[in-house]
Amino acid sequence: MAELVLSSLLPLLFEKLSDAALKTIARHKGLDAEIKKWQRSLKQIQRVLADASRKEITDEAVKGWLNDLQHLAYDIDDVLDGWVTEAMQSDQSTHDSEGITGKVRKLITPTCCTNFPRDATMLAKLDDISTKLQDLVKEKADLGLRVEEETRPRNNNSNNNRRFQSSVVNPSRIVGRQAEKDALVQQLLLPADEPCDQNYSIVPIIGIGGVGKTTLAGLLYNDVQVNNHFELKAWICISDDFDISVRSKEIFIAFGGEVKREHENFNKLQEAIRDHLTQKRFLLVLDDVWSESREDWETLVRPFYTCSPGSKIVVTTRKNILLKKLGYNSLYKHLESLSDDDALSLFALHALGVRNFDSHLSLKPHGEGIVKKCKKLPLALIALGTSLRTRKDEDSWKGVLESEIWTSPVEGEVIPALRLSYHDLLAPLKRLFAYCSLFPKDFLFDKEELVLLWMAEGFLQQATPNDSIEEQCLGRKFFEELLSRSFFQHAPNNESLFVMHDLMNDLATSVATEFYFRLDNESRKNIKNMKLDKYRHMSFVCEKYVAYEKLQVLENTKCLRTFLATFAGEVERLEKFYLSNKILTDLLPKLPLLRVLSLSGFEISELPESIGTLRHLRYLNLSQTHITHLPEKVCNLVNLQALILFGCYKLTELPNNFLNLKNLQHLDVRDTRLLFKILSGIGELKSLHINLSKIIIRSEDGFEIAKLNDFKNLSGKISVVGLEKVQNATYAHEANFSQKKLSELELVWSDGLYDSRNEMLEKELLNELKPCQDELIQLKIRLYGGKEFPNWVGDPSFLHLKYVSIKGCKRCTSMPPLGQLPSLKELLIEGLHGVEVVGFELFGTSQAFPSLEIMRFEDMHGWKKWSGAVFPRLQKLEIKDCPNLVEVTLEALPSLNDLKLYHCDSGVLRSLAEVASAVTKLGINGISGLNDVVWGGVTEYLGAVEELRIWRCNEIRYLVKSDADATKILERKRRRRSWIIVGATS
């Protein structure tokens, strides 16, 4: 807490209190002397925060003093924000100049500051703040807080103790991890066949603190096969001190080298390491790596190039940022918690001295309950099991299971394993993580949405002014940092979303203290005993019906900044949620300090005009509601930064004075009925980032596409429909697509009138629609009428492009060089009737399709010949309705395991089977010319097939030629799974 106040809150307050514009306001209010007193008092407090940081862990009084200080910081910030808002509202009626994009307006003319009211309520609030400040100054002396040098939190004993981790493990005390160990041993024993340009490769072990990374690495290090395989071994614990010179000496010594005086010269040291490793296969374990610097890493490993092929470096880390920089993107999963059985066995081992409960059956149900509450995390199980080692009576175990430790994890022994990771975070990251306590377990996080929330709360403001783009970039960086340390994980079924492990959610709740409150079924039980007026941020989990009575307790929470509706897990598309209208009309106006308001997903059709009284509001989320319009009073929200209207499918208009929202930075109107003509009128908001799902060109000449130039910060996903109407490519040039940082782009012409369309114009038009390559992930082109594609389609500079779909481009006679796209994972080509040959033009000049995993061709009636090189990573291939394709000459499909052919020639099946020996799933439908002879030849290459599906191949009479072949299939059935025959008629 002290670190957070010191590095996050006070610097921002000092900046605001010192701001020239705010001083002008204070002077006209006659309060400049009061402001100066506040500054002096806060500076006195700031000097003792380093001492408070050391004492708060064990001294509850100091912890309470720090909480009071943070509450007071909120109060001061609210007052200052109110003054600035008054100035903006006054200024709005007399000025049409550029909007206020900073935290306060940097130039406020005196005429707008002379009529501020000095009512009794305001004066009482100021007196209250001054009194509390003086009390805190006095109390710091009573607590014995002294001025001392601030210590760096990362250099604490817990991290220094990591330096004493070693490769020595006691196998008899380790439970589980056999499967993980076996898989990693095989990796270590494999030759150097990874796609790299050095003789060694990296084997990462990634996971949260306390999950057992070091233990697993120790098992590998001491494995007999591993010992016999490597000539040299070394184990180095890195921790957060990545001093290259020191670590290089340690590596040299661990490998058996002798450090001499000449090795004080770093160049000589690296030469010695190089010479020592020449023609030797080594294993190096770098335990607990925190560094993110690729430059430091490359300096450290520079001498290793002389080693023998097959050398390995095992890296254990909580963060994967460095690994990503080195090219290890998503090849390795994070180390998970133990299985149910192994977790229970590990707990029994440390609690009872044996690996099971056979001799203590009465304790087993309690043990199972404790293991479940520990989330199967090894370090937590060991710590709690050890504490029960001397107590084998049922009452003691039951007491632990029912202890308040589980509802107050900060004081228990379950959380320390994760608190190691939490305490290592910088103060701003701790604050962002604590904010996530507002979200329920199993919540699906959208990174961009979470960053917008952090921005609205003011968490991303720095001591030096930032614009919205810089704040958003900082927020993304912070999120990636938390992700790399396993505070977040990728959602299992959606790589664009993220989840937080239940144990991490518990940790966030434990550190959120009295500032964050999540109203759910559990917290509702104790709500009468809680001091809700203390909380600043509140969320509630949506239920089918949210009645006023559920939230009535918030009527007196005058200081509340956040009112957030959340959902646990995925929400069914047709599921409906209803919110009492009384909450909108009666409760919200009683929360005047709200900065974040989310009512997403409710069956709301109208907002009251009173929404305009929430003058501090920065973030308003009405997504997927039934609103048809916004009240005009919304335009009074001069602080509003983000307005989320995604999925408001009944919304047809914006307020008349929408341009008054000059601080608006993010507008999401995807999947609404707002016409592009309406939206083009708000292009004057120069700082606005707008998310559109579709632009339909309606004019006869398509001139309105040029209006996209007004949206300087257009981002996200967009579909442009009706491009056949654009009569001049200059209009598309004026739209300035090359500056639009889109993640998904769909370009759609109409289907028809091909004879009357100008193919040269359409090529020029498509050329001008080239998007910025920095962030594009998905590209779709529909019904384009040119004969060939412009050069940007397939340009390797699109480094992040993963998905390409080209459909219905009937005039095209050749393919773009999509093989040059380095990250392309999925490719769909459909309806290119003019293409007869697919070959070198698709592959380009470099190694073709290095990342492609899925490829589909469909409705290619003119296609006759397919020739090409190796598809190294292709896993799934589907060819459908390509009746004239008869010649296929591919070199190899080494990774292909799923092959589907529909309405094609039997020669295609035979040719593909010959180069795809790893196929495990084969589906064929309506294959012409597929008789017993051809099928017999195909089956020669089907040794790996486990699942076979056949439809409408009526010329096949026998699946196998002989009893010997039948025996082979039966053997395959025993080894794998049986073939599945569907729709075979013979």
Side-chain angles (χ1 to χ4, degrees):
M1 177 66 70
E3 182 190 356
L4 188 150
V5 174
L6 179 65
S7 64
S8 298
L9 299 180
L10 289 191
L12 292 177
L13 275 187
F14 284 132
E15 182 196 355
K16 291 183 178 182
L17 290 169
S18 302
D19 187 84
L22 196 132
K23 285 182 177 179
T24 302
I25 297 173
R27 186 164 59 252
H28 284 283
K29 284 178 173 287
L31 297 170
D32 49 336
E34 198 75 16
I35 292 295
K36 290 178 181 178
K37 289 180 183 178
W38 289 1
Q39 287 178 301
R40 286 195 296 271
S41 297
L42 287 171
K43 284 181 179 178
Q44 292 181 55
I45 290 171
Q46 186 182 34
R47 295 189 189 105
V48 302
L49 284 178
D51 186 35
S53 178
R54 181 172 54 83
K55 294 178 177 177
E56 67 171 314
I57 299 173
T58 56
D59 193 325
E60 286 295 321
V62 173
K63 188 174 182 180
W65 181 81
L66 286 167
N67 279 343
D68 291 341
L69 175 59
Q70 185 169 353
H71 279 298
L72 189 61
Y74 274 124
D75 289 340
I76 295 174
D77 188 47
D78 288 336
V79 169
L80 301 182
D81 195 63
W83 292 354
V84 173
T85 301
E86 289 176 33
M88 287 194 293
Q89 289 175 326
S90 175
D91 189 53
Q92 187 181 72
S93 60
T94 55
H95 292 80
D96 293 322
S97 58
E98 184 179 353
I100 304 163
T101 57
K103 292 180 286 293
V104 295
R105 186 177 177 85
K106 295 304 176 186
L107 178 62
I108 298 180
T109 57
T111 56
C112 72
C113 304
T114 55
N115 297 317
F116 284 125
R118 287 169 54 100
D119 57 69
T121 303
M122 184 194 76
L123 293 175
K125 181 66 176 176
L126 299 179
D127 288 342
D128 183 54
I129 289 174
S130 298
T131 300
K132 287 180 178 178
L133 259 178
Q134 290 306 309
D135 289 344
L136 286 171
V137 171
K138 179 180 181 298
E139 193 177 352
K140 75 177 177 61
D142 297 340
L143 292 170
L145 297 177
R146 298 178 291 106
V147 178
E148 63 176 43
E149 286 290 325
E150 179 191 353
T151 57
R152 216 173 144 249
R154 283 200 177 185
N155 292 334
N156 53 34
N157 288 334
S158 62
N159 254 2
N160 287 338
N161 286 340
R162 287 287 310 157
R163 302 282 301 116
F164 298 103
Q165 293 287 343
S166 75
S167 66
V168 178
V169 294
N170 182 354
S172 67
R173 307 294 290 173
I174 297 172
V175 177
R177 300 303 188 204
Q178 189 62 45
E180 293 90 339
K181 178 198 169 185
D182 290 344
L184 288 169
V185 165
Q186 292 307 309
Q187 266 187 266
L188 294 180
L189 300 182
L190 284 174
D193 55 357
E194 292 84 0
C196 57
D197 57 358
Q198 61 267 331
N199 290 335
Y200 62 87
S201 58
I202 300 172
V203 178
I205 302 176
I206 310 166
I208 60 177
V211 78
K213 301 183 297 295
T214 300
T215 299
L216 179 56
L219 288 173
L220 297 175
Y221 194 79
N222 293 290
D223 182 82
V224 174
Q225 293 182 79
V226 171
N227 279 329
N228 294 334
H229 185 72
F230 294 99
E231 299 173 61
L232 297 176
K233 289 199 315 174
W235 178 291
I236 306 295
C237 184
I238 301 294
S239 196
D240 62 344
D241 183 12
F242 203 82
D243 186 306
I244 298 173
S245 177
V246 173
R247 298 293 164 257
S248 295
K249 286 182 181 178
E250 290 181 349
I251 290 171
F252 186 42
I253 294 171
F255 276 140
E258 182 181 351
V259 175
K260 300 176 181 178
R261 179 174 298 179
E262 66 185 52
H263 296 148
E264 292 300 317
N265 179 294
F266 184 70
N267 182 62
K268 292 290 185 183
L269 175 62
Q270 289 220 319
E271 288 178 347
I273 295 173
R274 177 199 63 193
D275 295 340
H276 191 73
L277 295 180
T278 298
Q279 297 301 309
K280 295 185 178 74
R281 186 164 58 219
F282 71 78
L283 170 65
L284 173 61
V285 175
L286 298 179
D287 186 36
D288 202 34
V289 174
W290 291 88
S291 173
E292 300 172 8
S293 171
R294 177 171 184 156
E295 292 74 20
D296 286 351
W297 173 269
E298 289 178 345
T299 302
L300 183 74
V301 302
R302 190 182 296 150
F304 297 173
Y305 73 94
T306 61
C307 68
S308 288
S311 295
K312 308 287 181 179
I313 302 177
V314 174
V315 174
T316 77
T317 181
R318 303 179 195 179
K319 310 167 61 175
N320 60 7
I321 291 180
L322 176 60
L323 293 168
K324 284 185 177 180
K325 291 179 179 178
L326 297 175
Y328 291 78
N329 289 325
S330 57
L331 299 178
Y332 297 93
K333 295 182 179 179
H334 286 210
L335 186 62
E336 301 288 347
S337 298
L338 295 173
S339 68
D340 292 343
D341 291 342
D342 288 338
L344 187 63
S345 182
L346 179 64
F347 182 70
L349 180 64
H350 288 272
L352 304 172
V354 292
R355 291 174 178 259
N356 55 58
F357 283 83
D358 291 353
S359 302
H360 304 85
L361 292 178
S362 63
L363 298 178
K364 187 174 182 179
H366 306 302
E368 290 173 335
I370 292 170
V371 167
K372 184 177 180 180
K373 287 180 178 287
C374 283
K375 313 297 184 185
K376 300 176 291 185
L377 195 66
L379 191 57
L381 294 168
I382 292 169
L384 198 52
T386 303
S387 70
L388 285 170
R389 188 65 180 267
T390 59
R391 293 178 287 165
K392 294 183 174 62
D393 60 287
E394 203 170 341
D395 288 340
S396 295
W397 284 53
K398 185 178 180 182
V400 169
L401 183 59
E402 298 176 354
S403 171
E404 292 182 358
I405 186 176
W406 308 111
T407 55
S408 302
V410 147
E411 300 173 3
E413 291 300 323
V414 177
I415 294 301
L418 301 182
R419 290 182 68 85
L420 290 172
S421 297
Y422 173 76
H423 280 307
D424 188 71
L425 296 176
L426 297 175
L429 286 171
K430 289 180 179 177
R431 195 179 190 189
L432 301 181
F433 177 66
Y435 187 79
C436 294
S437 66
L438 294 175
F439 300 93
K441 293 178 179 178
D442 299 322
F443 183 82
L444 293 172
F445 289 90
D446 180 287
K447 176 174 69 173
E448 298 301 325
E449 183 178 331
L450 185 58
V451 168
L452 288 180
L453 286 169
W454 288 342
M455 289 174 63
E457 301 286 7
F459 294 164
L460 302 179
Q461 294 174 351
Q462 301 294 289
T464 56
N466 283 295
D467 61 24
S468 64
I469 295 177
E470 289 177 345
E471 285 189 12
Q472 196 164 19
C473 289
L474 182 63
R476 290 168 180 162
K477 178 182 176 183
F478 283 160
F479 184 91
E480 291 297 329
E481 173 74 6
L482 291 170
L483 177 65
S484 73
R485 293 171 179 253
S486 299
F487 286 90
F488 291 102
Q489 300 171 0
H490 286 280
N493 299 318
N494 190 333
E495 66 176 15
S496 66
L497 298 177
F498 302 87
V499 294
M500 183 175 280
H501 192 283
D502 284 359
L503 206 53
M504 284 298 183
N505 189 283
D506 292 339
L507 177 62
T509 302
S510 75
V511 300
T513 63
E514 59 189 54
F515 299 94
Y516 301 89
F517 173 58
R518 185 173 76 226
L519 182 61
D520 52 24
N521 292 333
E522 190 63 33
S523 61
R524 203 180 306 172
K525 298 175 184 176
N526 304 317
I527 199 166
K528 292 183 179 179
N529 302 321
M530 302 176 71
K531 297 180 180 179
L532 293 178
D533 59 323
K534 285 277 192 180
Y535 290 98
R536 304 285 174 156
H537 309 279
M538 176 266 178
S539 69
F540 65 97
V541 179
C542 292
E543 299 172 351
K544 188 171 183 64
Y545 298 99
V546 180
Y548 182 75
E549 289 71 25
K550 176 179 179 178
L551 302 176
Q552 190 172 5
V553 293
L554 302 177
E555 285 183 337
N556 297 318
T557 55
K558 304 294 185 184
C559 298
L560 205 62
R561 289 183 167 207
T562 307
F563 187 85
L564 199 62
T566 64
F567 298 88
E570 294 192 53
V571 178
E572 292 293 330
R573 185 166 172 262
L574 299 179
E575 196 169 354
K576 298 182 183 296
F577 298 90
Y578 299 89
L579 184 74
S580 168
N581 192 57
K582 190 175 173 64
I583 293 173
L584 300 177
T585 57
D586 292 9
L587 178 58
L588 290 183
K590 295 177 182 177
L591 306 175
L593 298 178
L594 279 184
R595 297 191 176 207
V596 167
L597 174 60
S598 176
L599 301 172
S600 173
F602 283 110
E603 301 283 309
I604 298 171
S605 58
E606 189 175 10
L607 279 182
E609 292 286 343
S610 59
I611 194 76
T613 65
L614 303 178
R615 59 181 192 161
H616 294 268
L617 204 63
R618 264 76 171 173
Y619 175 97
L620 177 59
N621 189 338
L622 302 170
S623 62
Q624 300 183 25
T625 60
H626 292 181
I627 59 170
T628 58
H629 67 283
L630 295 171
E632 197 65 36
K633 294 291 185 182
V634 163
C635 302
N636 293 344
L637 302 176
V638 293
N639 283 306
L640 194 65
Q641 298 173 355
L643 178 58
I644 315 299
L645 302 171
F646 163 67
C648 295
Y649 66 96
K650 293 185 178 180
L651 184 66
T652 58
E653 58 182 315
L654 293 175
N656 293 326
N657 293 315
F658 195 82
L659 291 178
N660 285 351
L661 300 176
K662 297 190 182 298
N663 271 329
L664 192 65
Q665 299 163 1
H666 299 273
L667 175 64
D668 190 341
V669 290
R670 291 172 297 153
D671 296 341
T672 67
R673 293 172 61 190
L674 290 169
L675 297 178
F676 180 57
K677 181 179 179 180
I678 295 174
L679 295 171
S680 62
I682 63 176
E684 295 178 31
L685 297 172
K686 301 301 182 184
S687 298
L688 183 64
H689 294 251
I690 186 167
N691 283 33
L692 304 169
S693 56
K694 182 180 290 188
I695 295 173
I696 301 178
I697 298 171
R698 299 179 185 275
S699 65
E700 290 301 318
D701 61 359
F703 173 75
E704 69 259 41
I705 194 174
K707 280 287 189 179
L708 281 171
N709 184 50
D710 294 338
F711 299 114
K712 305 297 183 185
N713 300 310
L714 184 67
S715 61
K717 171 184 176 181
I718 190 169
S719 175
V720 185
V721 179
L723 286 167
E724 75 283 350
K725 294 182 179 179
V726 180
Q727 298 300 307
N728 193 326
T730 303
Y731 300 158
H733 176 77
E734 292 175 4
N736 203 13
F737 261 68
S738 62
Q739 300 301 312
K740 307 287 191 276
K741 294 189 176 182
L742 301 171
S743 59
E744 298 182 22
L745 174 62
E746 182 179 44
L747 302 171
V748 184
W749 283 258
S750 73
D751 186 10
L753 301 177
Y754 270 91
D755 293 338
S756 62
R757 283 162 57 177
N758 186 331
E759 62 187 53
M760 292 303 298
L761 172 61
E762 295 200 12
K763 183 179 178 182
E764 290 176 21
L765 177 59
L766 182 56
N767 189 50
E768 295 294 351
L769 293 173
K770 175 186 176 181
C772 177
Q773 58 262 43
D774 291 351
E775 297 183 20
L776 191 68
I777 296 174
Q778 185 173 114
L779 173 66
K780 296 180 180 179
I781 299 175
R782 300 281 185 271
L783 304 168
Y784 163 64
K787 285 189 175 181
E788 58 183 16
F789 293 89
N791 292 336
W792 71 263
V793 181
D795 192 302
S797 63
F798 285 85
L799 296 176
H800 309 291
L801 189 54
K802 295 181 179 179
Y803 178 94
V804 172
S805 172
I806 300 177
K807 284 188 177 183
C809 306
K810 298 177 183 178
R811 280 185 172 176
C812 287
T813 57
S814 62
M815 302 284 290
L818 300 171
Q820 299 180 139
L821 296 170
S823 300
L824 185 65
K825 287 191 173 183
E826 186 169 353
L827 174 61
L828 170 61
I829 305 294
E830 180 180 335
L832 274 63
H833 295 171
V835 173
E836 295 184 1
V837 177
V838 174
F840 70 92
E841 78 285 354
L842 176 65
F843 296 99
T845 56
S846 58
Q847 181 187 3
F849 296 110
S851 304
L852 190 67
E853 296 176 357
I854 299 173
M855 181 162 58
R856 288 189 292 155
F857 291 98
E858 186 172 342
D859 189 25
M860 300 279 286
H861 289 181
W863 189 18
K864 300 176 181 178
K865 180 180 179 181
W866 185 16
S867 60
V870 176
F871 289 80
R873 294 182 181 272
L874 189 65
Q875 298 174 17
K876 184 175 181 180
L877 173 62
E878 183 175 320
I879 301 177
K880 184 176 182 180
D881 294 328
C882 302
N884 294 311
L885 177 63
V886 293
E887 185 178 346
V888 176
T889 54
L890 299 184
E891 290 186 20
L893 299 171
S895 302
L896 191 69
N897 56 52
D898 191 341
L899 175 62
K900 290 183 174 64
L901 300 177
Y902 302 149
H903 305 109
C904 298
D905 186 80
S906 60
V908 177
L909 173 60
R910 174 65 185 260
S911 298
L912 291 175
E914 290 178 359
V915 294
S917 59
V919 168
T920 58
K921 295 181 180 180
L922 176 63
I924 54 178
N925 187 339
I927 305 298
S928 61
L930 185 58
N931 54 35
D932 289 334
V933 175
V934 177
W935 176 248
V938 170
T939 57
E940 295 294 326
Y941 303 97
L942 294 180
V945 171
E946 299 173 10
E947 183 177 304
L948 174 63
R949 294 176 181 267
I950 302 177
W951 295 267
R952 292 185 292 278
C953 295
N954 299 335
E955 295 180 58
I956 301 178
R957 294 177 299 165
Y958 307 104
L959 285 176
V960 293
K961 294 184 295 184
S962 64
D963 291 343
D965 291 331
T967 301
K968 291 179 182 178
I969 292 176
L970 290 174
E971 177 61 25
R972 183 181 297 116
K973 179 177 180 179
R974 285 193 291 270
R975 287 188 286 111
R976 301 184 181 93
R977 292 176 293 177
S978 61
W979 285 1
I980 302 170
I981 314 300
V982 180
T985 59
S986 302

